Amino acid sequence: MSLYYAVVAALLCGMAVIGLFRTDDLLRRILVLNVLASATFLLLVTLARTDSGIDPVPHVMVLTGIVVAVSTTAAALGLTIRAHERRREESQ
């Protein structure tokens, strides 16, 4: 079952990298970076399972990464809104 999750994480990562290079829209790039972060989290949780049990360190890293990803997404969305408003003001 863990191989399935690793394959899904690799596919998500590949789709995100392709999407990152193919789009010029800032909002879509933010969404693609969130998908890439989710693929990384899925891979870390998948690799945390060992023969002797579950290693808690990757789980802590994922929780920390989720907090960082949410705060960076909020900051990036704020900057995107500000850039859009500035472009609209300059065009008037």
Side-chain angles (χ1 to χ4, degrees), residues 5-56:
Y5 291 128
V7 169
V8 169
L11 287 174
L12 281 174
C13 183
M15 289 187 327
V17 168
I18 290 171
L20 191 62
F21 290 119
R22 290 197 59 175
T23 186
D24 291 332
D25 187 29
L26 290 176
L27 183 60
R28 287 185 181 171
R29 283 191 179 209
I30 293 170
L31 291 174
V32 164
L33 287 174
N34 280 330
V35 170
L36 186 62
S38 297
T40 306
F41 300 152
L42 179 61
L43 185 64
L44 279 174
V45 169
T46 302
L47 295 176
R49 178 166 289 217
T50 61
D51 292 336
S52 61
I54 295 178
D55 187 14

